[in-house]
Amino acid sequence: MPLLQNHIAVVTGAASGIGRAIAAGYAREGAQVTLLDVDGKGAEAAAQEIRDAGGLAESFALDVTKREDCIAVAKRVADQVGRVSILVNNAGINRRNGFTADPAAVLKDWQDIMAINLNGVFNVTQAFLEPLLAAKGRIVNIGSIQSFLHVRTPNSPAYTTSKHGVLGFTRALAAELGKHGVRVNAIGPGLIETPLNAAVRANDPGLVKIFMDHTPLGRAGKPEDIVGPAIFLASDLASYVTGTIVMADGGYRAI
Ligand code: NAP
């Protein structure tokens, strides 16, 4: 039997990259998938691709920074789709200005990255909390190798702080929601080839080399590399797993 049969899953940032791959993977495992993205057309194209492959999917445009919109979309999903039992908080952005760069740019990075990567996770989780509690659901947050500190690559303090926050939020919610039967975990991807880092990969081979020199598997990841861990954490295979982060980084953090 498919691993996610009878589940309704919501994936944010599902028009592209990792979120798009997770949504398709969940549909292949029998879940009905609701794709949310600030790029509403992209989310609908991804949903259509899932339907064309025989899966169940619908989409809604959603900017996760807009709290009221998150609440409104959660209501529409409840009315039009059903009771959500899996939430994947995946929407995120990255910029790599150091703290000593131009102060105006650093401030803008901080505000934009926190608004999406951290407050967005809060907004969407709170909006879908009621069905997740009722369903004894599962939450999967997308962290990063930057959920932990490392000094090999230039880190934007905003991105590193936001991804530490995602891990902290994951643990705090796991501690509180476990008694309600809700499991909360994170995934820590390494360098995954998506539009998020296309410019870095094209223009900064030195940085890519630093990543690859510290990746035992010796290659960058593909969005599909994150799908297995995401299915595992959302499924009953992980019935005794909560409050943890599954690293899907080719071994980067191990060395
Ligand atoms: P991606 O291909 O750029 O996909 C991210 C999606 O999120 C895009 O469709 C983007 O839309 C959407 N989005 C951006 N802001 C949003 C908002 N305010 N509300 C709703 N959706 C929004 O990036 P990705 O690499 O798949 O990243 C997905 C997650 O994985 C992120 O949390 C990222 O931090 C994390 N991650 C990625 C890597 C990696 O190497 N790729 C490594 C570690 C962690 P637009 O494109 O229209 O802005």
Coordinates of all heavy atoms in Angstrom, one line a residue, residues 95-154:
R95 N 20.2 34.6 0.6 CA 21.1 35.6 0.1 C 22.4 35.5 0.9 O 22.3 35.2 2.1 CB 20.5 37.0 0.2 CG 19.4 37.2 -0.7 CD 18.9 38.7 -0.7 NE 17.5 38.7 -1.0 CZ 16.5 39.4 -0.4 NH1 16.9 40.2 0.6 NH2 15.3 39.4 -0.8
R96 N 23.5 35.9 0.3 CA 24.8 35.6 1.0 C 25.6 36.8 1.4 O 26.8 36.8 1.4 CB 25.6 34.7 0.1 CG 25.1 33.3 0.0 CD 26.0 32.3 -0.7 NE 25.4 31.0 -0.7 CZ 25.5 30.1 0.3 NH1 26.3 30.4 1.3 NH2 24.9 28.9 0.2
N97 N 25.0 37.9 1.7 CA 25.7 39.1 2.2 C 26.2 38.8 3.6 O 25.5 38.4 4.4 CB 24.8 40.3 2.3 CG 24.7 41.0 0.9 OD1 25.6 41.2 0.1 ND2 23.4 41.3 0.5
G98 N 27.5 39.1 3.9 CA 28.0 39.0 5.2 C 27.5 40.2 6.1 O 27.0 41.2 5.5
F99 N 27.7 40.1 7.4 CA 27.1 41.1 8.2 C 27.9 42.5 8.1 O 27.3 43.5 8.4 CB 27.3 40.7 9.7 CG 26.4 41.5 10.6 CD1 25.0 41.5 10.5 CD2 26.9 42.2 11.7 CE1 24.2 42.2 11.4 CE2 26.1 42.9 12.5 CZ 24.8 42.9 12.4
T100 N 29.1 42.4 7.5 CA 29.9 43.6 7.3 C 29.7 44.3 5.9 O 30.3 45.2 5.6 CB 31.4 43.4 7.5 OG1 31.8 42.2 6.7 CG2 31.7 43.1 9.0
A101 N 28.8 43.7 5.1 CA 28.5 44.3 3.8 C 27.7 45.6 4.0 O 27.5 46.0 5.2 CB 27.7 43.3 3.0
D102 N 27.2 46.1 2.9 CA 26.5 47.4 3.0 C 25.3 47.3 4.0 O 24.5 46.4 3.8 CB 26.0 47.7 1.6 CG 24.9 48.8 1.6 OD1 25.1 49.8 2.2 OD2 23.8 48.6 1.0
P103 N 25.3 48.1 5.0 CA 24.2 48.0 6.0 C 22.8 47.9 5.5 O 22.0 47.2 6.1 CB 24.5 49.2 6.9 CG 25.9 49.6 6.7 CD 26.2 49.2 5.3
A104 N 22.5 48.7 4.5 CA 21.1 48.7 4.0 C 20.8 47.4 3.4 O 19.7 46.8 3.6 CB 21.0 49.8 2.9
A105 N 21.8 46.8 2.7 CA 21.6 45.4 2.1 C 21.4 44.4 3.1 O 20.6 43.5 3.1 CB 22.7 45.1 1.1
V106 N 22.3 44.5 4.2 CA 22.2 43.5 5.3 C 20.9 43.6 6.0 O 20.3 42.5 6.3 CB 23.4 43.8 6.2 CG1 23.3 42.9 7.5 CG2 24.7 43.5 5.5
L107 N 20.4 44.8 6.2 CA 19.1 45.0 6.9 C 18.0 44.4 6.0 O 17.1 43.7 6.5 CB 18.8 46.4 7.2 CG 17.5 46.8 7.7 CD1 17.3 46.1 9.1 CD2 17.3 48.3 7.9
K108 N 18.0 44.7 4.7 CA 17.0 44.1 3.8 C 17.0 42.6 3.8 O 16.0 41.9 3.9 CB 17.1 44.7 2.4 CG 16.1 44.2 1.5 CD 15.7 45.2 0.4 CE 14.7 44.6 -0.6 NZ 13.6 43.8 -0.1
D109 N 18.2 42.0 3.7 CA 18.3 40.6 3.8 C 17.7 40.0 5.1 O 16.9 39.1 5.0 CB 19.8 40.1 3.8 CG 20.5 40.3 2.5 OD1 19.8 40.6 1.5 OD2 21.7 40.0 2.4
W110 N 18.0 40.7 6.2 CA 17.5 40.2 7.5 C 16.0 40.2 7.5 O 15.3 39.2 7.8 CB 18.1 41.1 8.6 CG 17.7 40.6 10.0 CD1 16.6 41.0 10.7 CD2 18.4 39.7 10.8 NE1 16.5 40.3 11.9 CE2 17.6 39.5 12.0 CE3 19.5 38.9 10.6 CZ2 18.0 38.7 13.0 CZ3 19.9 38.1 11.7 CH2 19.2 37.9 12.8
Q111 N 15.4 41.3 7.0 CA 14.0 41.5 7.1 C 13.3 40.5 6.1 O 12.3 39.8 6.5 CB 13.6 42.9 6.8 CG 14.0 43.9 7.9 CD 13.9 45.3 7.6 OE1 13.9 45.7 6.4 NE2 13.7 46.2 8.6
D112 N 13.8 40.4 4.9 CA 13.2 39.5 3.9 C 13.3 38.0 4.3 O 12.4 37.2 4.2 CB 13.8 39.7 2.5 CG 13.4 41.1 2.0 OD1 12.6 41.8 2.6 OD2 14.1 41.5 1.0
I113 N 14.5 37.7 4.7 CA 14.8 36.2 5.1 C 14.0 35.8 6.3 O 13.4 34.7 6.3 CB 16.3 36.0 5.2 CG1 17.0 36.1 3.8 CG2 16.6 34.6 5.9 CD1 18.5 36.0 3.8
M114 N 14.0 36.6 7.3 CA 13.2 36.3 8.5 C 11.7 36.2 8.2 O 11.0 35.3 8.7 CB 13.5 37.3 9.6 CG 14.8 37.3 10.2 SD 15.2 35.6 10.9 CE 16.9 35.8 11.1
A115 N 11.3 37.1 7.4 CA 9.8 37.2 7.1 C 9.4 35.9 6.4 O 8.3 35.4 6.7 CB 9.5 38.4 6.2
I116 N 10.2 35.4 5.5 CA 9.8 34.2 4.8 C 10.2 32.9 5.5 O 9.4 32.0 5.8 CB 10.4 34.2 3.3 CG1 9.9 35.4 2.6 CG2 10.1 32.9 2.6 CD1 10.6 35.6 1.2
N117 N 11.6 32.8 5.8 CA 12.1 31.5 6.3 C 11.7 31.2 7.7 O 11.6 30.0 8.1 CB 13.6 31.6 6.3 CG 14.2 31.6 4.9 OD1 13.5 31.9 3.9 ND2 15.5 31.4 4.8
L118 N 11.4 32.2 8.5 CA 11.1 31.9 9.9 C 9.6 32.3 10.3 O 8.8 31.5 10.7 CB 12.1 32.7 10.8 CG 12.2 32.1 12.3 CD1 12.3 30.6 12.3 CD2 13.3 32.8 13.0
N119 N 9.3 33.6 10.0 CA 7.9 34.0 10.3 C 6.9 33.3 9.4 O 5.8 33.0 9.8 CB 7.7 35.5 10.2 CG 8.5 36.3 11.2 OD1 9.0 35.7 12.2 ND2 8.8 37.6 10.9
G120 N 7.3 33.0 8.2 CA 6.4 32.2 7.3 C 6.1 30.9 7.8 O 5.0 30.4 7.7
V121 N 7.1 30.2 8.4 CA 6.9 28.9 9.0 C 5.9 29.0 10.2 O 5.0 28.2 10.3 CB 8.3 28.3 9.5 CG1 8.1 27.0 10.3 CG2 9.2 28.0 8.3
F122 N 6.1 30.0 11.0 CA 5.2 30.3 12.1 C 3.7 30.5 11.5 O 2.8 29.9 12.0 CB 5.6 31.5 12.9 CG 4.7 31.9 13.9 CD1 4.7 31.4 15.2 CD2 3.7 32.9 13.6 CE1 3.8 31.8 16.2 CE2 2.8 33.3 14.6 CZ 2.8 32.8 15.9
N123 N 3.6 31.4 10.6 CA 2.3 31.8 10.0 C 1.5 30.6 9.5 O 0.3 30.4 9.8 CB 2.4 32.8 8.9 CG 2.9 34.1 9.4 OD1 2.8 34.5 10.5 ND2 3.5 34.9 8.4
V124 N 2.2 29.8 8.7 CA 1.5 28.6 8.1 C 1.2 27.5 9.1 O 0.1 27.0 9.1 CB 2.4 28.1 6.9 CG1 1.7 26.9 6.3 CG2 2.6 29.2 5.8
T125 N 2.1 27.3 10.0 CA 1.9 26.3 11.0 C 0.7 26.7 11.9 O -0.1 25.8 12.2 CB 3.2 26.0 11.9 OG1 4.3 25.8 11.0 CG2 3.0 24.9 12.8
Q126 N 0.7 27.9 12.3 CA -0.4 28.3 13.1 C -1.8 28.2 12.4 O -2.8 27.8 12.9 CB -0.2 29.8 13.7 CG -1.0 30.1 14.9 CD -0.7 31.4 15.5 OE1 -0.6 32.4 14.7 NE2 -0.6 31.5 16.8
A127 N -1.7 28.6 11.1 CA -3.0 28.6 10.3 C -3.5 27.2 10.2 O -4.7 27.0 10.1 CB -2.7 29.2 8.9
F128 N -2.6 26.2 10.1 CA -3.1 24.8 9.9 C -3.1 23.9 11.2 O -3.3 22.7 11.1 CB -2.2 24.1 8.8 CG -2.5 24.5 7.4 CD1 -1.8 25.5 6.8 CD2 -3.6 24.0 6.7 CE1 -2.1 25.9 5.5 CE2 -3.9 24.4 5.4 CZ -3.2 25.4 4.8
L129 N -2.9 24.6 12.3 CA -2.7 23.9 13.6 C -4.0 23.0 13.9 O -3.8 21.8 14.3 CB -2.4 24.8 14.7 CG -2.2 24.1 16.1 CD1 -1.0 23.2 16.0 CD2 -1.9 25.2 17.2
E130 N -5.1 23.6 13.7 CA -6.4 22.9 14.1 C -6.5 21.5 13.4 O -6.7 20.5 14.1 CB -7.6 23.8 13.9 CG -8.8 23.3 14.5 CD -10.0 24.3 14.2 OE1 -9.8 25.5 14.4 OE2 -11.0 23.8 13.7
P131 N -6.5 21.5 12.1 CA -6.6 20.2 11.4 C -5.4 19.3 11.8 O -5.6 18.0 11.9 CB -6.6 20.5 9.9 CG -6.1 21.9 9.8 CD -6.5 22.6 11.1
L132 N -4.2 19.8 11.9 CA -3.1 18.9 12.3 C -3.2 18.3 13.6 O -2.9 17.1 13.8 CB -1.8 19.7 12.2 CG -1.3 20.1 10.8 CD1 -0.2 21.2 10.9 CD2 -0.8 18.9 10.0
L133 N -3.8 19.0 14.6 CA -4.1 18.5 15.9 C -5.2 17.4 15.8 O -5.0 16.3 16.3 CB -4.5 19.6 16.9 CG -3.5 20.5 17.4 CD1 -4.1 21.6 18.2 CD2 -2.5 19.7 18.3
A134 N -6.2 17.7 15.0 CA -7.3 16.8 14.9 C -6.9 15.5 14.2 O -7.4 14.4 14.5 CB -8.5 17.5 14.1
A135 N -6.0 15.6 13.3 CA -5.6 14.4 12.5 C -4.4 13.7 13.1 O -4.0 12.7 12.6 CB -5.2 14.9 11.1
K136 N -3.9 14.2 14.3 CA -2.6 13.7 14.8 C -1.6 13.7 13.7 O -1.0 12.6 13.3 CB -2.8 12.3 15.4 CG -3.7 12.2 16.6 CD -3.7 10.8 17.3 CE -4.8 10.6 18.3 NZ -4.8 11.7 19.3
G137 N -1.4 14.9 13.2 CA -0.6 15.0 11.9 C 0.9 15.0 12.1 O 1.4 14.8 13.1
R138 N 1.5 15.4 11.0 CA 3.0 15.4 10.9 C 3.4 16.7 10.3 O 2.9 17.1 9.2 CB 3.5 14.2 10.0 CG 3.1 12.9 10.5 CD 1.8 12.3 9.8 NE 1.2 11.3 10.6 CZ 1.2 10.0 10.3 NH1 1.8 9.6 9.2 NH2 0.6 9.1 11.1
I139 N 4.4 17.3 10.8 CA 5.0 18.6 10.3 C 6.4 18.3 9.9 O 7.2 17.7 10.7 CB 4.9 19.7 11.3 CG1 3.5 20.0 11.7 CG2 5.5 21.0 10.7 CD1 3.3 21.0 12.9
V140 N 6.8 18.7 8.7 CA 8.2 18.5 8.2 C 8.7 19.9 7.8 O 8.1 20.5 6.9 CB 8.2 17.6 7.0 CG1 9.7 17.5 6.5 CG2 7.7 16.2 7.3
N141 N 9.7 20.4 8.5 CA 10.2 21.7 8.2 C 11.5 21.6 7.5 O 12.3 20.7 7.8 CB 10.5 22.5 9.5 CG 9.2 22.7 10.3 OD1 8.2 23.0 9.7 ND2 9.3 22.6 11.6
I142 N 11.8 22.4 6.5 CA 13.0 22.3 5.7 C 14.1 23.3 6.4 O 14.0 24.5 6.3 CB 12.8 22.7 4.2 CG1 11.7 21.7 3.6 CG2 14.1 22.5 3.5 CD1 12.0 20.3 3.7
G143 N 15.0 22.7 7.0 CA 16.1 23.4 7.6 C 17.3 23.5 6.6 O 17.0 23.7 5.4
S144 N 18.5 23.2 7.1 CA 19.6 23.3 6.2 C 20.9 22.8 6.9 O 20.8 22.6 8.1 CB 19.8 24.8 5.9 OG 21.1 25.1 5.3
I145 N 22.0 22.6 6.2 CA 23.2 22.4 6.9 C 23.5 23.7 7.8 O 24.2 23.7 8.8 CB 24.4 22.1 6.0 CG1 24.5 23.0 4.8 CG2 24.4 20.7 5.6 CD1 25.7 22.7 3.9
Q146 N 22.9 24.8 7.4 CA 23.1 26.1 8.2 C 22.1 26.1 9.3 O 22.0 27.2 10.0 CB 23.0 27.3 7.2 CG 24.2 27.4 6.4 CD 24.2 28.5 5.4 OE1 24.5 28.3 4.2 NE2 23.8 29.7 5.8
S147 N 21.4 25.1 9.6 CA 20.7 24.9 10.9 C 21.8 24.7 12.0 O 21.5 24.7 13.2 CB 19.7 23.8 10.9 OG 18.6 24.1 10.1
F148 N 23.0 24.4 11.6 CA 24.2 24.3 12.4 C 25.3 25.2 11.9 O 25.3 25.5 10.7 CB 24.7 22.8 12.4 CG 23.7 21.8 12.7 CD1 22.9 21.3 11.7 CD2 23.4 21.5 14.0 CE1 21.9 20.4 12.0 CE2 22.4 20.6 14.3 CZ 21.6 20.0 13.3
L149 N 26.1 25.7 12.8 CA 27.1 26.6 12.4 C 28.3 25.9 11.7 O 28.8 24.9 12.1 CB 27.7 27.4 13.6 CG 28.5 28.6 13.2 CD1 27.7 29.6 12.4 CD2 29.1 29.3 14.4
H150 N 28.7 26.4 10.5 CA 30.0 25.9 9.9 C 30.6 27.1 9.3 O 29.9 28.1 8.9 CB 29.7 24.8 9.0 CG 28.9 25.2 7.8 ND1 29.5 25.7 6.6 CD2 27.6 25.3 7.6 CE1 28.5 26.0 5.8 NE2 27.4 25.8 6.3
V151 N 31.9 27.1 9.1 CA 32.6 28.3 8.7 C 33.3 28.1 7.4 O 34.2 28.8 7.0 CB 33.7 28.7 9.8 CG1 33.0 29.2 11.0 CG2 34.6 27.5 10.1
R152 N 32.9 27.1 6.6 CA 33.6 26.8 5.4 C 33.2 27.8 4.3 O 33.9 28.0 3.3 CB 33.4 25.4 4.9 CG 34.0 24.3 5.8 CD 33.5 23.0 5.4 NE 33.9 22.0 6.4 CZ 33.1 21.0 6.9 NH1 31.9 20.8 6.4 NH2 33.6 20.2 7.8
T153 N 32.0 28.2 4.3 CA 31.4 29.0 3.3 C 30.9 30.3 3.8 O 30.6 30.4 5.0 CB 30.2 28.3 2.6 OG1 29.2 28.1 3.6 CG2 30.6 27.0 2.0
P154 N 30.9 31.4 3.0 CA 30.4 32.7 3.5 C 28.9 32.5 3.8 O 28.1 32.2 2.9 CB 30.6 33.6 2.3 CG 31.2 32.8 1.2 CD 31.3 31.4 1.6

